[in-house]
């Protein structure tokens, strides 16, 4: 069994993704920033029993961009995840996320009892924003937003350059980088260009403080499996990332040597942890 393309319409907008209709638990998978549903292709091959739905989040992959004037925010992302679950006819389900997707998944679990289990890979609760950086961050966002319309999207003659760019940016193997690139570009005159919404590159206007993130993590009632790569990313360092687990009511941690996309580069290893977690009593 393998992931197959599918499409939904949520609030009149196209939501594209990949689905593997196994007989086991329902799992909605959320990818990282500027990635897409192909992020879960290697992992899905080792999780054939799951009813696994990996979506392209708004503005990513083959899904629609948000309309002009509608910003990409965490509350909007949480609402979108629950709307997708409604469209799937899922009342209760497991959320699995990587990086940004893990942040969205964990915050969704904090505010919705519909999440039965949570698998958070390489993030938990999202990135913090120190209070003393609030004005600077908002200023940078406004400045970049006003300048965005003047920027031109680069066109690549073939896929070699964007594949190399992803390999260098994320320390990815060529095969994994190509999976993300092939779903992350569109054909245009003269070659290819990224199909993600350029607004996703804007600096985040407002970030939660560490105290706010702690409060949200404390609200997660469902069993949670956190998976981290070591060494830690510079923007999500130790001991902060491990300390966040202390706020979970029912959390467990697995750490593996690897890079940020360890679920793509070492899928069998990560799938074994997920299988064991979902196989626990009352997994649903």
């Amino acid at each position: 069994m393998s992931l197959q393309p599918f499409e939904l319409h949520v609030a009149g907008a196209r939501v594209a993704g990949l689905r593997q209709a196994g007989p086991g638990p329902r799992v909605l998978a959320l990818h990282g920033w500027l990635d897409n549903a192909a992020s879960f292709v290697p992992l899905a091959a080792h999780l054939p029993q799951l009813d696994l739905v990996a979506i392209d989040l708004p503005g990513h992959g083959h899904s629609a961009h948000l309309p002009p004037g509608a910003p990409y925010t965490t509350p909007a992302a949480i609402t979108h995840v629950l709307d997708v679950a409604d469209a799937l006819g899922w009342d209760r389900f497991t959320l699995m996320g990587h990086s940004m997707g893990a942040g969205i998944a964990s915050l969704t679990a904090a505010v919705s009892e519909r999440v039965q289990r949570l698998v958070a890979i390489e993030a938990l609760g999202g990135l913090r924003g120190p209070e003393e950086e609030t004005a600077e961050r908002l200023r940078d966002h406004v400045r970049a937003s006003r300048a965005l319309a003047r920027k031109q999207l680069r066109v690549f003659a073939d896929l070699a350059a964007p594949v190399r760019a992803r390999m260098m940016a994320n320390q990815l193997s060529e095969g994994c980088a190509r999976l993300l690139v092939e779903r992350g570009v569109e054909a245009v005159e003269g070659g290819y260009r990224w199909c993600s919404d350029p607004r996703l590159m804007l600096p985040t206007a407002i970030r939660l403080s560490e105290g706010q993130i702690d409060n949200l993590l404390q609200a997660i009632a469902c069993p949670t499996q956190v998976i981290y790569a070591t060494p830690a990313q510079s923007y999500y360092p130790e001991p902060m990332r491990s300390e966040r687990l202390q706020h979970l009511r029912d959390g467990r941690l697995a750490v593996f040597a690897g890079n940020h996309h360890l679920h793509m580069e070492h899928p069998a290893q990560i799938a074994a942890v997920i299988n064991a977690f979902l196989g626990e009593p009352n997994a649903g």
Side-chain angles (χ1 to χ4, degrees):
M1 188 176 296
S2 61
L3 290 168
Q4 300 296 323
F6 83 100
E7 190 173 291
L8 295 170
H9 281 82
V10 174
R14 183 181 72 259
V15 177
L18 301 169
R19 184 169 191 174
Q20 174 178 275
R26 296 167 168 174
V27 178
L28 182 58
L30 311 177
H31 60 78
W33 179 61
L34 298 182
D35 286 352
N36 51 65
S39 175
F40 295 100
V41 168
L43 193 58
H46 299 274
L47 298 168
Q49 79 283 7
L50 298 185
D51 186 357
L52 176 62
V53 173
I55 61 170
D56 294 330
L57 289 163
H60 295 78
H62 297 170
S63 287
H65 297 185
L66 293 183
Y72 291 90
T73 66
T74 298
I78 293 170
T79 300
H80 180 75
V81 168
L82 296 174
D83 288 346
V84 169
D86 288 345
L88 291 167
W90 291 2
D91 181 40
R92 301 268 287 162
F93 52 94
T94 290
L95 268 180
M96 175 167 63
H98 168 250
S99 194
M100 178 190 74
I104 294 169
S106 54
L107 298 184
T108 302
V111 301
S112 176
E113 295 179 353
R114 295 172 64 181
V115 182
Q116 290 175 294
R117 294 206 163 219
L118 170 65
V119 178
I121 305 170
E122 278 286 271
L124 183 65
L127 295 178
R128 65 177 177 175
E131 293 178 358
E132 63 271 17
E133 297 177 2
T134 301
E136 180 182 3
R137 179 172 296 281
L138 184 58
R139 186 182 302 115
D140 289 345
H141 173 83
V142 171
R143 184 185 300 115
S145 297
R146 289 170 55 81
L148 186 63
R150 298 191 294 272
K151 292 187 177 180
Q152 297 294 318
L153 294 178
R154 181 181 175 184
V155 175
F156 303 96
D158 54 41
L159 295 184
V163 168
R164 284 196 302 272
R166 287 308 307 258
M167 290 173 67
M168 294 177 63
N170 301 116
Q171 297 79 54
L172 283 168
S173 65
E174 182 177 357
C176 288
R178 188 169 293 277
L179 275 175
L180 296 174
V181 168
E182 287 178 347
R183 193 173 177 87
V185 298
E186 58 185 354
V188 295
E189 184 177 353
Y192 302 88
R193 69 182 180 192
W194 299 112
C195 58
S196 53
D197 192 331
R199 290 179 293 166
L200 294 168
M201 298 291 291
L202 294 174
T204 305
I206 301 289
R207 279 186 179 170
L208 297 171
S209 69
E210 193 66 23
Q212 289 174 312
I213 292 172
D214 291 348
N215 178 262
L216 287 161
L217 295 178
Q218 291 160 11
I220 298 175
C222 67
T224 301
Q225 175 68 63
V226 179
I227 302 172
Y228 288 152
T230 186
Q233 297 288 314
S234 60
Y235 54 81
Y236 190 43
E238 291 290 1
M240 182 190 76
R241 68 173 191 170
S242 292
E243 289 172 349
R244 288 190 178 182
L245 275 82
Q246 300 173 11
H247 298 285
L248 296 174
R249 303 183 200 180
D250 184 4
R252 65 276 286 143
L253 172 65
V255 180
F256 299 99
N259 62 24
H260 186 54
H261 286 74
L262 76 168
H263 67 303
M264 296 187 75
E265 300 287 2
H266 307 289
Q269 197 173 38
I270 305 308
V273 174
I274 295 169
N275 275 323
F277 175 59
L278 296 182
E280 292 177 0
N282 303 317

